Amino acid sequence: MTKIHFISATGIETVIDARDGDSVMHAAILNDVEGILAECGGSMMCATCHCYVDPAWQDRVTPPSEPEAGMLASAASAVRATSRLSCQITVGPELEGLVIHLPEAQL
Ligand code: FES
């Protein structure tokens, strides 16, 4: 299990224990983290799992693939250099303590 910190757009922090090998999106859904909708279930077709990787973690999380970057362009909130689709980030021990910021809107 890997600890992940989610911080809402209003600053509320939720800490969860995510299963290694799961996606950050799925871990958020399983733990009722508000702010991740994931309407397509993780098939990279919706961008409602948009999140911002904390800048301190940016070097340890791979950048978005080209298709992911294309889908991010349709995200409801501003896309930043730290934007990722949380369904495309795989949880693993190297991400222990990862901090994910949630956008203001997902639709
Ligand atoms: S859940 Fe739809 S793109 Fe991630």
Side-chain angles (χ1 to χ4, degrees), residues 6-93:
F6 291 91
I7 301 176
S8 75
T10 56
I12 297 170
E13 182 174 10
T14 305
V15 183
I16 68 164
D17 287 313
R19 287 187 307 218
D20 293 337
D22 213 347
S23 70
V24 169
M25 173 280 281
H26 196 228
I29 297 293
L30 284 177
N31 288 278
D32 298 321
V33 174
E34 288 187 23
I36 298 284
L37 298 185
E39 289 181 341
C40 78
S43 53
M44 212 163 63
M45 299 292 288
C46 73
T48 61
C49 65
H50 178 207
C51 68
Y52 303 112
V53 174
D54 188 271
W57 283 88
Q58 197 174 3
D59 291 346
R60 285 180 272 178
V61 177
T62 56
S65 64
E66 204 174 304
E68 181 183 342
M71 185 51 65
L72 273 169
S74 64
S77 293
V79 176
R80 304 176 190 156
T82 57
S83 286
R84 288 294 312 269
L85 294 177
S86 57
C87 69
Q88 301 301 306
I89 304 172
T90 302
V91 175

